[in-house]
Amino acid sequence: MALLSSPLGAPVRAVAKIRASVHVKLLAGFLLITLLFIAMTAVSLRTFAETARETNLLDQAHERVGWSRQIEHALAMQMHFTSMTLLSQGSDPVSLILRENNRFNDTLARLEIAAPAEERALIQAIRGAQDDAMATVADIANAVRDKRLAEAMTVLRTRQEPVYQKIETLVGSLVAAEETRMAKFRASLAATHRQSMRLMAGFAVASVVLALVGGFVISWSFILPVRAAHGFLSDVAAGRFGGTLVVPNRDEFGALAEHMTWMSRELRRLDDEQRVAAATLRGLNDRLALASRAKSEFLANMSHELRTPLNAILGFTEIILDELYGEVPANLREPLVDIQTNGRHLLSLINDVLDLSKIEAGRLELGVGEYSVQEIVEVVHASLRSLAIEKGLAFSVRVAPGIPTAWGDGRRLTQCLLNLAGNALKFTRHGRVDIDVSLADDWLTFRVVDTGIGIPKDEVENIFAEFRQVDTTITREYGGTGLGLSITKRLVELHGGRIGVESELGRGSTFFFTVPLRADGGPA
Amino acid sequence: MKDRTVLHIEDNEYNRKIVRQLLSRTTYRLLEAADGEEGLAVAKRELPDLILMDVQLPKLSGLDATRLLRADPRTASIPLVVVTSFALSGDDRKAMDAGASAYLAKPYSPRDLMALIHRFLPEN
């Protein structure tokens, strides 16, 4: 902004402050230069006209000087021919004198028309003297004709010669006057020329200076706000909001600066709001984390608290059935087994709820390690075989040969397969349930195929959502929390895998999930 | 030969009763404690042959008690079974890290518990 304090600062500021659009200012600048050009052209034309006029005057003066010379010549010839009249005593010279007289008069008449007013008197005097001279010529001619030679000589000497001398003197002053005038014109022309040169040079210099200053001032009145805006926007880019962009302009740049200031303030306001919101969210997040931790702790404690009495219920039931307290009467055995079945069901509910709440809180971590696919399938088969036999279902397992030791959470995957196979057995009344595991491109696919009741098409999408069973009456008929599939899905996804189902109502379902042979977290 | 001693540390009376009933027909001598501090004191005084430790105990947690027992050279080598609350909760790993010889998830089958006891401590 050093420029604004320089002498040119004031006009720059002044141009900036003009309440006109940039377009108009530029147009005015160009118009100024154009006007200077037009003015310069006009001055040049005027100078040329002046010079031409003076040249013309000079020409005329020159012409008049020529005519004066002719008069002088004609006079000389007259005097010569007058003398000849005396010498030759004939009439020939008289006609020559008359010819010269005519030329004299013609030239004088032309001169009289062209001559300025002050020369008219002189010309009249010349004409009068010439008339006198012609009168004496006539007298001389008459005397010569009458052979009065002595008289003719006297007239020539006493009258003719003084008249010619007088004419000569008069013509001489005329020539001198015209020459003086010509000299004056010449000097005036030179002066006019010099003056017009000076005028044009001055105009040229003034135009260049004015155009340069005008261009400079106008362009800087545009550059200054742009520079100021550049600095201002650098601040905004660096996150320093809320400043004010001050420019003297009252044109588009002024409006732009106002908008930028407004924008910066708005950004400041939004930034402040965002900061407050972020702080609020941070506080909220901390409180949520605290609440989540409290919830997890509560669930862990609750789980243990629920398990302890359940342990007693199931423990006592088992040792009674094992007849540690003595023989069990036959009619009590069935209700005791019922207690055991319901206790176990209650346990599975507690486990599911705990698992799901841990998954929801994002606190469930996989305990990854090496596991054997064969072992998982065998555990599941062993756990469910008795149920299959009880329901009269065929239950087979098949593991593709050559599957290497895998990496992942073997126990959680066992839980997944147990869930799917358990469901399959639960929802199949007749036929069979088969477990099949295959490996392709380092992905393991666990498949459970049943010949059960199947799932309606519109329910397939929701089958993995929490607390979802196709029909709530199913819960009553088949039991279960409706959480098993949801938990299985989350566990498979934690392994980076995918779960799916293909089903045909009344024909059966195929549930499958795929997991990487070496799930995330394992060594490469 | 002196009868083998089993120390059962568990705050729930009914669960203690089950183990009491289980062991009543065996030759094991049963010692009981209802909280972590008491269990630690009894273990250091009596030096039992096997300890059954519940994971969640009043006053001193089962895991802390396990660590203290393992830190004491007189009790460091006594077989110790921690009864965890849930096989999948991560307690099992914590129990093994604390120095347990084995773990058993609650609710356990009394038969499985007997099998574990027999494994670590064959009956005379």
Side-chain angles (χ1 to χ4, degrees):
Chain A
M1 293 294 127
L3 181 108
L4 278 182
S5 49
S6 78
L8 274 173
V12 168
R13 232 192 325 260
V15 167
K17 275 183 182 168
I18 294 169
R19 217 180 278 276
S21 69
V22 170
H23 169 75
V24 167
K25 285 180 187 181
L26 281 174
L27 210 65
F30 285 120
L31 205 66
L32 175 77
I33 291 167
T34 311
L35 282 176
L36 281 170
F37 202 78
I38 290 168
M40 208 164 94
T41 311
V43 167
S44 307
L45 285 175
R46 203 182 64 84
T47 309
F48 284 139
E50 180 73 10
T51 310
R53 195 179 65 81
E54 288 188 348
T55 308
N56 195 30
L57 283 173
L58 189 65
D59 281 351
Q60 283 174 14
H62 201 261
E63 204 174 18
R64 286 201 299 277
V65 169
W67 290 333
S68 307
R69 299 259 181 242
Q70 278 180 30
I71 290 168
E72 271 184 330
H73 181 71
L75 194 65
M77 291 304 280
Q78 262 176 262
M79 284 170 77
H80 170 70
F81 290 131
T82 310
S83 306
M84 287 279 282
T85 311
L86 278 171
L87 291 173
S88 65
Q89 293 174 18
S91 57
D92 278 359
V94 176
S95 63
L96 285 172
I97 288 169
L98 285 175
R99 199 188 71 197
E100 287 305 320
N101 179 45
N102 282 342
R103 192 189 291 173
F104 185 100
N105 282 333
D106 280 356
T107 309
L108 198 64
R110 241 185 282 164
L111 193 60
E112 193 174 11
I113 292 165
E118 65 266 27
E119 281 175 14
R120 297 266 162 78
L122 195 59
I123 289 165
Q124 289 296 332
I126 292 170
R127 181 167 291 126
Q130 174 66 10
D131 288 347
D132 288 348
M134 285 318 292
T136 55
V137 167
D139 289 347
I140 291 167
N142 288 334
V144 169
R145 191 185 59 214
D146 300 336
K147 306 292 182 197
R148 287 177 280 124
L149 286 177
E151 193 186 338
M153 191 61 88
T154 309
V155 172
L156 180 71
R157 227 178 7 244
T158 56
R159 287 172 51 198
Q160 179 77 340
E161 278 180 4
V163 170
Y164 278 137
Q165 266 164 19
K166 185 183 169 191
I167 293 171
E168 206 170 1
T169 311
L170 285 173
V171 170
S173 2
L174 189 65
V175 168
E178 286 300 337
E179 276 181 342
T180 307
R181 193 184 301 276
M182 204 167 77
K184 204 178 81 195
F185 283 147
R186 206 170 271 138
S188 162
L189 189 64
T192 305
H193 192 251
R194 267 199 306 280
Q195 196 196 351
S196 47
M197 286 297 281
R198 270 201 298 276
L199 196 65
M200 279 169 73
F203 236 96
V205 169
S207 299
V208 167
V209 168
L210 210 60
L212 277 180
V213 169
F216 183 87
V217 165
I218 288 180
S219 54
W220 271 98
S221 80
F222 301 154
I223 293 166
L224 280 181
V226 170
R227 284 199 176 173
H230 177 76
F232 183 78
L233 286 180
S234 299
D235 274 2
V236 170
R240 288 189 291 275
F241 304 133
T244 305
L245 176 57
V246 182
V247 298
N249 296 56
R250 285 179 190 168
D251 45 27
E252 283 94 328
F253 290 111
L256 197 63
E258 249 173 60
H259 278 97
M260 280 187 187
T261 300
W262 181 73
M263 174 195 80
S264 181
R265 292 199 179 144
E266 195 64 12
L267 279 174
R268 168 69 161 278
R269 194 179 63 73
L270 289 172
D271 190 47
D272 287 350
E273 270 178 18
Q274 182 263 333
R275 266 173 224 276
V276 170
T280 312
L281 278 178
R282 254 198 305 282
L284 217 62
N285 201 31
D286 290 349
R287 290 222 306 277
L288 276 175
L290 221 67
S292 174
R293 198 152 49 237
K295 183 183 147 198
S296 291
E297 275 163 20
F298 171 78
L299 278 167
N301 289 338
M302 207 54 203
S303 164
H304 187 83
E305 294 303 323
L306 291 170
R307 250 170 253 276
T308 302
L310 201 56
N311 192 54
I313 292 167
L314 289 171
F316 278 120
T317 313
E318 189 177 314
I319 58 176
I320 290 168
L321 283 169
D322 282 355
E323 301 192 327
L324 258 73
Y325 287 101
E327 199 184 329
V328 179
N331 60 334
L332 283 185
R333 192 159 277 276
E334 196 187 326
L336 281 170
V337 171
D338 286 349
I339 290 171
Q340 205 170 34
T341 307
N342 280 283
R344 282 180 186 151
H345 186 210
L346 181 58
L347 177 68
S348 75
L349 292 181
I350 292 167
N351 287 348
D352 281 358
V353 169
L354 186 73
D355 263 359
L356 198 69
S357 61
K358 270 182 151 182
I359 292 169
E360 289 291 343
R363 297 178 77 87
L364 191 123
E365 283 170 21
L366 295 179
V368 291
E370 285 193 336
Y371 68 88
S372 154
V373 173
Q374 186 67 45
E375 225 165 79
I376 285 182
V377 173
E378 273 166 16
V379 166
V380 172
H381 190 239
S383 305
L384 298 173
R385 193 170 42 208
S386 57
L387 179 61
I389 291 167
E390 209 175 282
K391 294 191 73 174
L393 299 170
F395 182 35
S396 77
V397 297
R398 198 187 76 84
V399 177
I403 294 179
T405 305
W407 186 271
D409 191 335
R411 241 174 8 199
R412 288 295 187 184
L413 291 175
T414 307
Q415 189 187 353
C416 292
L417 193 60
L418 206 51
N419 261 329
L420 296 188
N423 277 347
L425 288 167
K426 209 156 64 179
F427 293 109
T428 304
R429 288 202 190 95
H430 315 286
R432 54 187 304 111
V433 171
D434 299 303
I435 293 175
D436 173 271
V437 187
S438 58
L439 177 72
D441 296 332
D442 285 342
W443 284 81
L444 285 168
T445 302
F446 293 78
R447 204 176 281 275
V448 178
V449 187
D450 68 45
T451 56
I453 56 174
I455 306 155
K457 272 206 162 52
D458 54 333
E459 289 286 344
V460 166
E461 276 175 40
N462 290 324
I463 197 84
F464 297 106
E466 290 90 0
F467 306 106
R468 193 61 78 115
Q469 284 182 339
V470 175
D471 185 339
T472 44
T473 58
I474 286 173
T475 315
R476 259 169 279 142
E477 190 186 340
Y478 295 94
T481 53
L483 293 176
L485 279 178
S486 175
I487 291 167
T488 301
K489 179 172 187 271
R490 306 294 185 92
L491 290 174
V492 166
E493 283 168 357
L494 272 174
H495 276 86
R498 203 175 63 82
I499 193 166
V501 62
E502 291 152 5
S503 185
E504 204 178 323
L505 203 59
R507 301 289 298 270
S509 309
T510 299
F511 280 84
F512 61 89
F513 64 87
T514 58
V515 288
L517 184 62
R518 304 192 76 79
D520 282 349
Chain B
M1 191 182 169
K2 180 179 159 284
D3 281 342
R4 303 291 179 87
T5 310
V6 174
L7 170 59
H8 187 206
I9 310 171
E10 156 72 84
D11 61 325
N12 184 284
E13 164 59 17
Y14 299 104
N15 286 326
R16 286 204 305 274
K17 216 166 151 185
I18 289 171
V19 174
R20 213 178 294 147
Q21 185 65 34
L22 267 176
L23 296 190
S24 66
R25 297 200 174 176
T26 66
T27 58
Y28 298 116
R29 187 165 76 99
L30 179 66
L31 297 172
E32 291 179 1
D35 65 63
E37 279 181 8
E38 194 196 339
L40 195 65
V42 174
K44 290 193 172 185
R45 194 178 63 230
E46 301 285 336
L47 301 178
D49 300 295
L50 176 69
I51 300 169
L52 301 175
M53 175 91 77
D54 192 49
V55 78
Q56 203 164 13
L57 291 168
K59 293 183 185 173
L60 183 67
S61 85
L63 294 179
D64 287 341
T66 302
R67 272 187 279 271
L68 288 170
L69 287 172
R70 286 303 181 230
D72 188 329
R74 291 178 304 153
T75 55
S77 58
I78 299 174
L80 193 153
V81 175
V82 171
V83 179
T84 64
S85 87
F86 188 19
L88 296 172
S89 64
D91 278 359
D92 48 356
R93 205 183 319 163
K94 282 183 218 155
M96 298 309 281
D97 289 347
S101 315
Y103 62 85
L104 189 64
K106 220 180 205 178
Y108 51 79
S109 151
R111 274 176 233 153
D112 293 346
L113 181 65
M114 263 332 283
L116 251 179
I117 293 171
H118 276 127
R119 204 175 95 205
F120 283 105
L121 208 62
E123 228 174 324
N124 287 336

